[in-house]
Amino acid sequence: MIPGQKTDYFLSFMDRDEPLTPAGRLFLQPETSQIINCLIGVKNPIDADAFKAEVKNSVLLKHPRFCSLMVKHSSGREYWRRTEVDVDRHVLVFDKPLSDDPSISDEDSVNDYLADLSVSSPLNTDKPLWEIHLLMAHNCLVFRLHHALGDGISLMSMLLSCCRRADDSSQLPTAGGVGTSSTPRRRRSLWTLMKVVWYTLVYVLEFMLRSLWLKDKKTVVSGGAGVELWPRKLATAKFRLDDMKTIKKATTDATINDVLFGVLSCGFSRYLDIRSPKALGEGLKLTGAAMVNLRPQPGLQDISKLMNNVSGTRWGNKFGMMLLPIYYHKGGSNPLEFLKRAKSMIDKKKLSLEAPCSYKLGHFVMSFFGAKLASILNYRILCNTTFTISNVIGPREKITVVGNPVTYIRANSTALPHAITMHMVSYGERADMQVLVAKDIIPDPQVLVRCFEEALLEMKDAAAAASKT
């Protein structure tokens, strides 16, 4: 070695560069690059100086991922390298309204802004891969975080660690969802174990075929290769959790996710009836790609455990992909049938090991064949399915950010080959679902959102009527 010259290995050792995880490398590939946009609305005007001061003292800047540049060594491998964070470069203040048209509401202006961000605004790599946009005229802020930093659960848990409970400003928002990792597992019968093996084999085989040639039938909501580059529109579907709980009670052992997929199936059926020029076959299959949290505890995580990698609750991208189909059925039938069909499908999926197997398969391909092939296979799965769906359980109590009451929490990601991506986040007694569409394929996302909202209300009325009989 020439005196004074440092090899990449020595440089990595001296500067403590940390290699990206396989999943992190996947999200840096052009085909699968993703940025998560988390929108938080607040009740009162934002104090930009106070907000910056809060960020400087927050746990956000104590986490190495948020204080590191993404660098590429001469070997071609990506690493995290610690750096000084200039908060003024990360917290961007926008004083003027996003639109000069008084007929456009605040919500529509912000949604249009997020839709533009989803296709045209990558994060600069000369600073850590996150930004916060303060939209002063609209009383809201947008957290933009690269998916290489972590998955939705990690990032949402980190963001909410910067918030406080509205009823007690000394307390963090309650982490976790409707269940905990301490719930005892029931012993499974031989028949159940046989079903686990069968469903796993069937679903993993379909998963692999989706990365090759198996695809959904073409409809008016189908995307495809290159659609991620098309202009976008964004609309918000608003649900009351009490309505979803009422519907849930209409079917034994149903969950909120069962209700969500029943609503999606019913809503898509309504929309296809409106938009399709030809009659569709009963039972037409539309396949969704859902990201499933693989940590022991569902929902938001304790940020201290995430940062210390305690009990398997580690920071990063810890999720598997699951293919969840919904089916077209012509209007006029009992809306609760959509819930029953959704529950039957999801029960089989939950019994299988599809999500952990997809995670292991992805890790295997990344480790032995590289990020390029893994990204191509993931991209083909998205091209061969119809939509993306995610559901994150948010805080159950009202919260504040820098003492300012939070009115809503919403999330979406940058565009995918799907013509429609949906991300639902619950907060308090409501759940908002951001519906991002390719506007040249779905020019009227407000109509689609209305189909979902009306489907929920129709299912609620049917559930209430059924409970009285």
Side-chain angles (χ1 to χ4, degrees):
M1 184 174 67
I2 300 173
Q5 182 181 23
K6 294 182 180 180
T7 65
D8 282 340
Y9 174 82
F10 183 67
L11 181 64
S12 176
F13 177 78
M14 290 297 292
D15 292 348
R16 300 178 184 271
D17 286 358
E18 182 183 352
L20 268 70
T21 61
R25 290 167 54 211
L26 177 68
F27 284 118
L28 291 176
Q29 299 301 306
E31 297 86 356
T32 48
S33 179
Q34 282 286 285
I35 297 170
I36 298 172
N37 299 317
C38 181
L39 173 68
I40 296 181
V42 292
K43 181 179 179 180
N44 303 316
I46 300 170
D47 184 332
D49 292 333
F51 186 87
K52 289 181 181 181
E54 182 72 18
V55 171
K56 289 177 182 178
N57 297 318
S58 71
V59 69
L60 191 76
L61 297 191
K62 295 179 174 65
H63 195 289
R65 289 287 182 277
F66 292 83
C67 304
S68 298
L69 297 173
M70 192 283 294
V71 298
K72 184 176 288 189
H73 287 186
S74 59
S75 63
R77 294 294 295 269
E78 299 89 353
Y79 289 80
W80 297 114
R81 177 174 296 172
R82 292 296 292 265
T83 187
E84 292 293 325
V85 175
D86 181 358
V87 170
D88 289 328
R89 291 194 65 205
H90 288 271
V91 180
L92 310 180
V93 181
F94 298 85
D95 291 310
K96 295 182 179 180
L98 297 173
S99 174
D100 296 328
D101 188 345
S103 66
I104 300 178
S105 67
D106 266 12
E107 181 175 295
D108 288 341
S109 294
V110 173
N111 278 346
D112 288 345
Y113 179 71
L114 292 171
D116 289 341
L117 288 180
S118 71
V119 290
S120 61
S121 297
L123 293 168
N124 292 330
T125 57
D126 63 346
K127 62 182 181 181
L129 299 177
W130 61 275
E131 286 180 349
I132 303 174
H133 297 190
L134 302 183
L135 307 183
M136 309 296 282
H138 302 277
N139 282 7
C140 64
L141 42 127
V142 181
F143 287 81
R144 305 196 70 220
L145 309 114
H146 200 286
H147 221 316
L149 295 172
D151 57 22
I153 294 293
S154 292
L155 298 175
M156 184 69 76
S157 299
M158 171 61 77
L159 295 181
L160 292 179
S161 72
C162 303
C163 301
R164 295 295 182 268
R165 289 176 53 166
D167 58 354
D168 185 351
S169 60
S170 65
Q171 297 294 317
L172 293 172
T174 305
V178 293
T180 67
S181 58
S182 60
T183 303
R185 292 185 178 181
R186 293 176 293 182
R187 295 185 64 181
R188 290 176 170 175
S189 66
L190 178 60
W191 174 240
T192 301
L193 291 174
M194 291 175 64
K195 289 196 290 184
V196 170
V197 173
W198 172 249
Y199 289 141
T200 300
L201 288 174
V202 170
Y203 295 144
V204 170
L205 177 62
E206 180 189 1
F207 187 87
M208 291 189 292
L209 292 177
R210 290 279 178 173
S211 68
L212 300 173
W213 66 81
L214 184 63
K215 62 171 60 179
D216 283 351
K217 185 177 179 181
K218 191 79 172 176
T219 69
V220 294
V221 296
S222 297
V227 171
E228 70 274 12
L229 303 175
W230 294 17
R232 300 279 148 167
K233 279 188 175 182
L234 182 66
T236 306
K238 300 172 184 176
F239 306 126
R240 293 181 67 249
L241 285 179
D242 283 346
D243 291 344
M244 302 186 90
K245 291 173 183 176
T246 298
I247 299 168
K248 181 168 72 82
K249 294 175 183 176
T251 300
T252 305
D253 296 329
T255 66
I256 293 296
N257 277 331
D258 298 333
V259 175
L260 173 59
F261 269 81
V263 168
L264 293 181
S265 183
C266 185
F268 270 120
S269 295
R270 287 167 173 260
Y271 186 75
L272 290 172
D273 280 338
I274 295 170
R275 286 286 315 279
S276 298
K278 298 179 181 179
L280 299 174
E282 191 74 2
L284 173 70
K285 182 178 180 180
L286 305 176
T287 306
M291 307 305 141
V292 180
N293 175 33
L294 296 179
R295 296 178 180 84
Q297 176 178 300
L300 299 179
Q301 307 290 306
D302 186 323
I303 191 64
S304 62
K305 291 182 179 180
L306 279 176
M307 293 181 71
N308 293 317
N309 295 330
V310 173
S311 303
T313 307
R314 66 177 179 81
W315 180 270
N317 287 287
K318 185 67 174 178
F319 65 88
M321 184 184 292
M322 188 178 282
L323 301 181
L324 296 173
I326 60 174
Y327 299 91
Y328 166 82
H329 292 280
K330 194 169 181 61
S333 59
N334 181 356
L336 292 180
E337 290 300 315
F338 288 101
L339 171 61
K340 294 176 182 177
R341 285 187 288 262
K343 175 175 166 40
S344 175
M345 177 271 296
I346 290 178
D347 283 349
K348 294 174 184 177
K349 289 284 183 173
K350 288 192 294 189
L351 197 57
S352 78
L353 301 176
E354 179 183 3
C357 284
S358 70
Y359 178 80
K360 294 294 185 182
L361 282 170
H363 191 278
F364 173 80
V365 174
M366 284 287 298
S367 300
F368 288 92
F369 300 100
K372 185 64 177 178
L373 178 61
S375 68
I376 290 173
L377 294 177
N378 272 272
Y379 185 79
R380 288 189 62 82
I381 290 173
L382 298 177
C383 290
N384 290 338
T385 51
T386 301
F387 62 92
T388 301
I389 179 69
S390 72
N391 177 22
V392 175
I393 301 171
R396 289 168 287 185
E397 63 279 301
K398 294 295 184 180
I399 63 173
T400 65
V401 54
V402 197
N404 204 338
V406 171
T407 54
Y408 60 81
I409 303 174
R410 298 168 186 165
N412 69 285
S413 65
T414 46
L416 294 167
H418 288 145
I420 175 170
T421 60
M422 296 167 287
H423 301 272
M424 189 169 87
V425 179
S426 64
Y427 170 50
E429 295 303 316
R430 63 188 283 181
D432 289 350
M433 184 169 72
Q434 294 288 76
V435 181
L436 183 70
V437 303
K439 66 181 183 181
D440 292 332
I441 297 174
I442 303 174
D444 49 3
Q446 292 82 4
V447 174
L448 179 59
V449 160
R450 191 160 57 249
C451 288
F452 292 142
E453 293 173 339
E454 290 175 353
L456 178 76
L457 295 176
E458 189 174 302
M459 292 170 70
K460 183 193 77 168
D461 291 343
S467 66
K468 295 177 182 179
T469 58

